[in-house]
Amino acid sequence: MINKQEILKVQNLHVNINNKEIITGLNLVINKGEIHAIMGKNGSGKSTLAKVISGHPSYEITKGNIFFKNEDITHEQPENRAHRGIFLAFQYPIEVPGVSNLDFLRLAYNCKQKKLNKKEIDPLSFFELINKELTKIHMDSLFLNRDLNEGFSGGEKKKNEILQMSLLKSELSILDEIDSGLDVDALKNISDNIKKFADKDNAILLITHYEKVINYINPDYVHIMDKGNIVYTGNKKTALNIDKYGYEYFTIKK
Ligand code: ADP
Ligand code: MG
């Protein structure tokens, strides 16, 4: 058996917001090549976990640690985490009028290149590169000229997050309800793109409410979160049972 390579280890994590404990001693290990899904009722702490892993400054870690590739990043700045290889696709991507999508993407790409001591890319070569990524995910290049997320439909915003994920090729991509508010075709498209992106060298943490998406992507693990902790870990059958019996079935069973 080949040794598993740890990408993320969350150890006994406790997180407060305004003195209220939101994450309550959570443990999670994600290895290279794995896809983990997190499901759970609204307010169970899924987005909080996603933001804390990526270093959102509003949350206070009161206890526990977060390791990325065996290095302790519990108190690392969010931009350093991004450069190390953590990507977060937001549940609610923000609109940034005045910043073109193309400029934003190139800046993000070059920032990472610079941090990794790699050559920054000129606008023309970047245009070629980003168009390749667009083609892969079947996205119209007209979106490059528009301002970041401004006036994008819900599905288009989510697709733009997928574009960033494909472009940055982070080792850990956290997708927070990337599939919410999408119609069936868009759901299939996003799931396809996630499946295409996932490989043996990266890892994905997928937060979703959809059994359909779980069934299609077939993650290695499906975790259920309740009251700030993982209360059950199963596989895609778990998602099917949630669909049938609701979350209560798992949260009481514990
Ligand atoms: P989920 O993503 O699972 O729906 P969240 O992580 O968004 O849940 O929220 C978990 C809990 O933390 C909720 O009770 C929510 O109201 C609370 N919470 C999240 N962010 C804040 C905040 N900035 N201030 C106060 N409470 C918050
Ligand atoms: Mg959420």
Side-chain angles (χ1 to χ4, degrees), residues 10-231:
V10 177
Q11 210 170 37
N12 189 29
L13 187 71
H14 291 256
V15 177
N16 278 12
I17 308 173
N18 303 331
N19 293 320
K20 187 182 162 219
E21 190 162 76
I22 306 282
I23 302 287
T24 55
L26 187 143
N27 294 293
L28 174 68
V29 174
I30 301 182
N31 297 305
K32 221 177 207 179
E34 292 178 350
I35 304 179
H36 289 236
I38 294 188
M39 304 183 85
K41 278 191 276 198
N42 290 326
S44 55
K46 304 181 298 297
S47 292
T48 303
L49 177 65
K51 287 187 213 167
V52 169
I53 295 171
S54 28
H56 196 295
S58 309
Y59 301 89
E60 187 199 353
I61 297 177
T62 54
K63 212 173 161 186
N65 296 84
I66 303 171
F67 298 91
F68 184 69
K69 297 199 285 182
N70 297 315
E71 282 185 73
D72 193 332
I73 56 154
T74 315
H75 301 289
E76 182 87 277
Q77 293 299 313
E79 55 271 29
N80 290 339
R81 298 184 201 213
H83 296 140
R84 279 172 188 266
I86 299 180
F87 172 76
L88 171 64
F90 285 113
Q91 181 171 2
Y92 303 108
I94 44 165
E95 301 195 6
V96 191
V99 174
S100 95
N101 202 19
L102 181 63
D103 287 347
F104 166 76
L105 291 164
R106 187 162 55 90
L107 197 70
Y109 185 83
N110 274 337
C111 252
K112 198 168 172 184
Q113 290 291 100
K114 211 165 145 184
K115 273 282 169 181
L116 298 174
N117 289 322
K118 287 187 189 164
K119 209 171 145 245
E120 289 182 56
I121 192 167
D122 63 87
L124 218 57
S125 317
F126 182 74
F127 194 67
E128 247 173 62
L129 174 76
I130 196 71
N131 270 298
K132 272 188 203 142
E133 296 297 338
L134 282 164
T135 311
K136 263 195 241 164
I137 66 168
H138 305 292
M139 192 172 172
D140 197 313
S141 60
L142 283 175
F143 284 104
L144 293 176
N145 303 325
R146 291 179 50 184
D147 286 355
L148 178 57
N149 288 324
E150 198 189 22
F152 285 27
S153 75
E156 289 162 356
K157 281 181 185 166
K158 298 293 168 113
K159 211 163 185 182
N160 210 39
E161 298 286 297
I162 291 286
L163 177 63
Q164 290 163 46
M165 174 179 88
S166 321
L167 173 71
L168 295 173
K169 301 204 172 21
S170 300
E171 273 169 289
L172 175 67
S173 294
I174 307 172
L175 308 175
D176 191 0
E177 297 201 21
I178 193 84
D179 46 18
S180 62
L182 301 186
D183 59 47
V184 266
D185 289 352
L187 210 61
K188 171 90 171 39
N189 178 280
I190 290 261
S191 307
D192 263 337
N193 289 331
I194 296 171
K195 249 174 109 166
K196 253 188 264 168
F197 176 76
D199 68 20
K200 62 176 186 12
D201 292 320
N202 61 27
I204 291 174
L205 180 59
L206 176 73
I207 297 170
T208 182
H209 285 294
Y210 294 109
E211 189 272 324
K212 233 189 203 137
V213 170
I214 300 269
N215 193 36
Y216 193 66
I217 292 180
N218 193 16
D220 301 280
Y221 300 95
V222 174
H223 308 282
I224 299 179
M225 255 184 103
D226 187 46
K227 298 190 182 77
N229 216 329
I230 291 174
V231 294

